[in-house]
């Protein structure tokens, strides 16, 4: 094979240095591995308690029933389940998705829905159809790492809007939009995860949702509402979506990853007509169509199993794990460490005492056999060094208790060291 043009003076053949480096697009050059992904290999060693990845506890699913329905889909409906399908997704599944989003107060028509290979794909498609290099997306502080990656890979300029326990601050949002416009930037979207946010665990109340929407409407900016944890409220409460207040100005993203199984890769977007049409065109160029077999598997699962009862059991399981996490934090963490008690979802957000850096803490934590994600992974601008995310979805309560004890030991040692250096 000949060398790529322009790579003649590149690294010698046979090394692991990439001879194509000069050829990548500006977009690809800006792509970075997420801090979470690079952690996965160490954190998945069995002796490490991983409070890092946000993996749903799939062993709690009715696995035998799922195996059975998948086998039947191939044996009895293979001519359809193994075939190409519509770029927008199967109409029968889109009808079922209408019933799922109705739980969040959304009224929609199956034609408003596009099925995607997970909601991550919908984020990528939205970035693809809206973002020119330098366009602004306003996001929460902190924000979901996968969305930051999708927006950055289309060279968006990401602006973190400060907030509080109730989510993004509407006044700060309005002034950030005005500032960006004064600098001549085009503000394309406000991105929010309003319910049990990844990574902070925070949930926007109803009034805050309406306020954020009002600011976006006033400014003529699209809202991207990413809501994969909506059904995971530990008390079974439902949180009406921002989309339920405005059908024209909000794209609503959902997923079966947290309530059924992420390995099936079935998510969706509910979008205003024009946006939905462009999303389908972009999806066709990316993957032609979402996989028929996993769409049909979700359809059968929703139709033939008591799936909302299973979600209720999952909520109960996650609630016990959340309790183990916050109880052990209270028992073991030194003064100055703060964390929240999320009412649902997978994550708690932790602030470290003065002087501690979560990135420097991580190798020591891993040496002590516990993993977390440093807060910097959830910011596009280097913030978050004094924070970290703990996820409580996958390990058992006993493992969580042990993991938090190990982490508390590491934090205590670091606090001691910092004090010594201050003297
Ligand atoms: N949005 C948020 C806020 C998430 O936490 C995740 C998964 N970690 C996704 C989107 C993507 O999920 P999926 O592609 O599996 O639907």
């Amino acid at each position: 094979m000949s060398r790529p043009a322009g790579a003649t003076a590149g690294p010698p053949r046979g090394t692991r240095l990439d001879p194509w480096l000069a050829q990548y697009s500006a977009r690809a050059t800006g792509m970075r591995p997420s801090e979470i992904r690079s952690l996965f290999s160490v954190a998945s060693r069995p002796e490490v308690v991983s409070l890092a990845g946000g993996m749903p506890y799939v062993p709690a699913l009715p696995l035998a029933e799922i195996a059975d329905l998948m086998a039947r889909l191939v044996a009895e409906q293979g001519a359809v389940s193994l075939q190409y399908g519509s770029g927008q997704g199967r109409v029968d599944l889109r009808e079922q998705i209408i019933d799922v989003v109705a739980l969040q107060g959304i009224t929609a028509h199956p034609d408003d829905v596009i099925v995607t290979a997970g909601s991550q794909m919908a984020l990528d498609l939205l970035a693809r159809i809206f973002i020119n290099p330098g366009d602004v997306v306003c996001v929460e502080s902190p924000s979901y790492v996968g969305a930051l990656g999708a927006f950055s890979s289309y060279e968006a300029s990401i602006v973190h809007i400060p907030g509080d326990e109730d989510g993004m601050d509407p006044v700060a949002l309005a002034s950030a939009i005005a500032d960006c416009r004064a600098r001549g930037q085009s503000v394309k979207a406000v991105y929010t995860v309003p319910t049990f946010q990844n990574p902070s665990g925070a949930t926007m109340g109803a009034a805050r949702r309406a306020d954020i929407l009002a600011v976006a409407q006033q400014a003529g900016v699209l809202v991207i509402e990413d809501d994969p944890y909506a059904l995971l409220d530990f008390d079974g409460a439902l949180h009406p979506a921002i989309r339920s207040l405005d059908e024209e100005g909000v794209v609503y993203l959902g997923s079966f990853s947290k309530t059924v199984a992420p390995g099936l890769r079935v998510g969706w977007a509910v979008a205003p007509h024009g946006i939905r049409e462009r999303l389908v065109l972009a999806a066709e160029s990316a993957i032609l169509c979402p996989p028929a077999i996993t769409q049909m598997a979700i359809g059968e699962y929703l139709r033939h199993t008591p799936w909302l009862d299973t979600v209720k059991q999952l909520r109960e399981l996650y609630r016990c794990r959340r309790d183990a996490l916050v109880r052990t934090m209270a028992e073991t963490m030194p003064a100055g460490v703060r964390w929240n008690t999320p009412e649902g979802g997978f994550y708690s957000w932790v602030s470290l005492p003065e002087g501690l850096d979560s990135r420097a803490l991580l190798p020591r934590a891993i040496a002590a056999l516990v993993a977390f994600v440093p807060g910097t992974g959830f910011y596009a601008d280097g913030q978050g060094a004094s924070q970290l995310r703990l996820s409580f979805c996958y390990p058992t309560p006993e493992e969580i208790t042990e993991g938090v004890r190990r982490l508390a030991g590491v934090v205590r040692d670091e606090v001691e060291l910092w004090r010594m250096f201050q003297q």
Side-chain angles (χ1 to χ4, degrees):
M1 191 191 73
S2 62
R3 276 183 178 284
T8 42
R13 295 194 71 103
T15 69
R16 297 193 54 145
L17 298 175
D18 183 355
W20 302 97
L21 210 55
Q23 314 279 315
Y24 293 125
S25 67
R27 271 194 313 285
T29 310
M31 291 175 177
R32 300 265 174 274
S34 89
E35 298 202 27
I36 306 184
R37 184 144 57 83
S38 35
L39 267 178
F40 258 117
S41 55
V42 241
S44 58
R45 293 202 326 248
E47 64 276 23
V48 176
V49 174
S50 178
L51 305 172
M55 294 196 302
Y57 192 67
V58 288
L61 292 171
L63 296 179
E65 279 174 72
I66 295 174
D68 194 42
L69 72 83
M70 300 272 312
R72 275 189 288 111
L73 279 177
V74 176
E76 295 164 19
Q77 297 187 67
V80 181
S81 66
L82 301 179
Q83 190 51 276
Y84 288 120
S86 145
Q88 188 174 353
R90 290 176 59 84
V91 71
D92 53 352
L93 179 61
R94 287 189 273 124
E95 279 161 5
Q96 290 172 300
I97 287 170
I98 294 306
D99 295 337
V100 175
V101 297
L103 298 169
Q104 261 59 58
I106 295 173
T107 316
H109 186 274
D111 203 38
D112 303 330
V113 178
I114 169 174
V115 179
T116 51
S119 50
Q120 185 65 36
M121 179 180 167
L123 287 167
D124 183 85
L125 298 179
L126 283 165
R128 188 189 292 219
I129 67 172
F130 277 107
I131 305 296
N132 290 317
D135 286 350
V136 172
V137 182
C138 297
V139 305
E140 283 145 344
S141 302
S143 182
Y144 167 50
V145 60
L148 299 181
F151 300 144
S152 311
S153 70
Y154 291 89
E155 301 176 79
S157 167
I158 289 166
V159 175
H160 286 279
I161 309 297
D164 54 24
E165 279 296 286
D166 203 21
M168 191 185 279
D169 176 1
V171 177
L173 174 63
S175 75
I177 294 173
D179 289 350
C180 290
R181 287 186 169 160
R183 286 196 297 271
Q185 288 178 295
S186 176
V187 181
K188 288 291 173 69
V190 177
Y191 168 73
T192 173
V193 182
T195 323
F196 317 127
Q197 200 233 22
N198 179 1
S200 72
T203 296
M204 272 191 200
R208 180 63 65 89
R209 290 176 193 228
D211 290 348
I212 292 294
L213 177 64
V215 170
Q217 284 172 331
Q218 178 73 27
V221 174
L222 179 72
V223 175
I224 300 175
E225 179 178 28
D226 184 10
D227 212 15
Y229 303 97
L231 293 180
L232 295 182
D233 186 297
F234 299 146
D235 296 321
L238 291 171
H239 300 268
I242 303 175
R243 165 82 193 191
S244 71
L245 307 172
D246 180 359
E247 293 177 10
E248 285 308 310
V250 183
V251 176
Y252 181 86
L253 308 186
S255 176
F256 291 110
S257 286
K258 320 295 175 181
T259 47
V260 187
L264 293 173
R265 309 305 301 132
V266 182
W268 67 86
V270 181
H273 183 73
I275 297 179
R276 202 275 297 139
E277 278 195 331
R278 277 177 203 269
L279 286 175
V280 173
L281 292 175
E284 284 170 348
S285 114
I287 60 164
L288 294 182
C289 62
I293 189 159
T294 58
Q295 292 182 75
M296 292 170 82
I298 292 280
E300 292 287 290
Y301 182 78
L302 300 188
R303 238 184 318 274
H304 296 303
T305 76
W307 76 282
L308 280 173
D309 292 343
T310 308
V311 171
K312 200 169 161 199
Q313 287 161 14
L314 288 171
R315 287 199 307 250
E316 196 48 35
L317 181 131
Y318 294 135
R319 193 174 59 73
C320 288
R321 293 172 183 207
R322 186 270 326 254
D323 289 346
L325 184 101
V326 294
R327 192 176 50 240
T328 320
M329 293 287 285
E331 285 165 7
T332 59
M333 281 293 167
V337 179
R338 286 177 292 120
W339 60 92
N340 60 354
T341 304
E343 288 156 22
F346 289 178
Y347 310 106
S348 175
W349 188 241
V350 178
S351 296
L352 295 170
E354 193 194 353
L356 267 62
D357 181 323
S358 56
R359 279 166 309 183
L361 206 64
L362 183 60
R364 288 166 205 163
I366 290 185
L369 303 181
V370 58
F372 61 82
V373 186
T376 41
F378 306 99
Y379 285 92
D381 59 6
Q383 295 184 67
S386 63
Q387 290 150 333
L388 55 92
R389 186 191 78 177
L390 296 181
S391 69
F392 50 80
C393 43
Y394 202 83
T396 63
E398 295 71 32
E399 288 165 339
I400 290 172
T401 302
E402 179 54 29
V404 172
R405 281 201 184 118
R406 292 175 187 171
L407 182 60
V410 176
V411 174
R412 258 197 310 273
D413 290 348
E414 287 291 301
V415 170
E416 273 308 304
L417 262 178
W418 193 75
R419 286 214 186 104
M420 275 166 54
F421 279 114
Q422 293 305 298
Q423 280 161 11

